[in-house]
Amino acid sequence: RLGQSRFLQILPGIKYHLPPAPRKHNPYATSEEEFKKIILDHPEENLLQVLTSHFMGIDELLAEKIVEESVDASPLKPLPREHLWKGFKSVLGVISANEISPHLILDSEQKPVGISLFDLNSVPEEQKISFRNLNQALQKLFSLEIEQRQGSRKLQTLISVTRNGIEKLKKTEEKLKKELSSLEDAQAYKKYGDLLLNHLSEIKRGAEYSELTDYSTTEHKKIRLSLDPSLSPKKNVEAYFKKYQK
């Protein structure tokens, strides 16, 4: 019936509105509690679907590696859904440390399927090619795509698209690096705000810094946090949380 959805109506004189994009979670900003809730709240989806559908930047190949890592880390078979967290955290840690092992994945006819950041145990050896870095894997992927279209009148267009694709991927890589750095800074501000809040009674008004013990580290490191002497201890805590929320 007319009037039920402002997104689906395509009629003369009626403005069409794009449906809202599905909300996906930032994997680096998702806590263990949030992750397990997402996983358990969607029992109708298999393990690969729930990872690719609800987290940004996770495709089927990356989801497969997360499941592999989780299965290896869990003594329980079949794998309980909530045990995906171990593999999830492990894989993200490897990516953050740039310790990836790029592989070009091929189908049974040796045609490229995509690029995996890891060596997948489920893929036969003859259907994957390892590379020292991601750029080499991308170049090989695009060159194979070009070879498959040799003789086509669209070859020159494809070469141009390939070059543009590489440039876009480089820009995306730089953008992701900046976003990751920003996210890490934000998490640091939250940590410092929490630390000050837990030691609020120890902070003197007018102090320019406060040296506090971080008990979340194994060596109980001392952290020296700068303070605004014109602000009260509580306002200094709020200042750190404001930086986290930006």
Side-chain angles (χ1 to χ4, degrees):
R1 294 197 306 266
L2 292 180
Q4 282 190 334
S5 172
R6 64 191 179 94
F7 298 114
L8 298 180
Q9 294 180 45
I10 306 178
L11 297 171
I14 296 179
K15 186 176 181 180
Y16 176 73
H17 297 271
L18 289 172
R23 183 177 181 275
K24 288 192 176 184
H25 300 269
N26 184 335
Y28 284 99
T30 303
S31 67
E32 181 176 358
E33 182 180 354
E34 291 169 333
F35 176 84
K36 290 182 177 179
K37 185 177 187 305
I38 294 166
I39 296 297
L40 296 175
D41 280 352
H42 299 87
E44 76 284 356
E45 297 177 344
N46 65 39
L47 298 180
L48 297 183
Q49 288 174 331
V50 76
L51 289 168
T52 57
S53 299
H54 300 283
F55 296 94
M56 295 186 293
I58 296 183
D59 61 9
E60 287 192 13
L61 294 175
L62 191 54
E64 193 169 333
K65 182 61 179 178
I66 290 172
V67 173
E68 279 186 8
E69 289 288 313
S70 302
V71 169
D72 291 342
S74 174
L76 302 178
K77 305 292 184 286
L79 177 73
R81 294 174 75 88
E82 62 270 27
H83 283 205
L84 272 178
W85 171 254
K86 289 184 179 179
F88 183 83
K89 195 68 175 175
S90 172
V91 168
L92 291 183
V94 172
I95 293 174
S96 294
N98 198 27
E99 296 174 353
I100 58 175
S101 174
H103 280 68
L104 176 62
I105 307 301
L106 310 171
D107 62 17
S108 57
E109 297 179 355
Q110 295 296 290
K111 293 180 179 178
V113 173
I115 291 175
S116 170
L117 299 180
F118 300 89
D119 185 6
L120 297 174
N121 297 330
S122 59
V123 178
E125 290 298 325
E126 64 271 17
Q127 288 181 225
K128 55 190 177 184
I129 306 172
S130 64
F131 294 88
R132 286 183 297 177
N133 57 60
L134 188 55
N135 281 341
Q136 289 182 350
L138 288 168
Q139 289 171 3
K140 182 63 176 179
L141 171 65
F142 288 124
S143 67
L144 287 176
E145 292 284 354
I146 291 172
E147 288 174 11
Q148 291 179 10
R149 292 163 175 79
Q150 286 289 350
S152 168
R153 288 177 297 179
K154 298 180 179 179
L155 181 58
Q156 292 304 316
T157 302
L158 181 59
I159 292 173
S160 176
V161 169
T162 300
R163 287 173 179 165
N164 289 337
I166 292 175
E167 288 303 313
K168 286 180 180 178
L169 284 168
K170 287 179 180 178
K171 290 178 181 177
T172 300
E173 182 183 13
E174 289 302 315
K175 182 180 177 183
L176 288 172
K177 285 180 179 178
K178 289 179 181 177
E179 288 178 353
L180 178 59
S181 176
S182 176
L183 178 62
E184 289 172 347
D185 289 343
Q187 293 301 316
Y189 285 131
K190 182 180 184 300
K191 177 180 178 179
Y192 298 154
D194 288 333
L195 197 58
L196 286 170
L197 187 61
N198 292 334
H199 294 81
L200 193 59
S201 61
E202 303 172 23
I203 303 171
K204 296 180 180 179
R205 189 182 185 102
E208 294 183 352
Y209 67 89
S210 180
E211 193 169 274
L212 304 172
T213 303
D214 182 7
Y215 291 103
S216 67
T217 60
T218 52
E219 62 273 23
H220 294 171
K221 279 176 55 178
K222 289 282 187 181
I223 296 182
R224 184 180 174 124
L225 300 178
S226 298
L227 301 174
D228 185 339
S230 67
L231 298 178
S232 67
K234 184 178 179 182
K235 289 292 184 182
N236 270 290
V237 172
E238 291 174 357
Y240 272 95
F241 283 126
K242 282 182 181 177
K243 290 179 182 177
Y244 159 66
Q245 291 167 354
K246 285 185 178 179

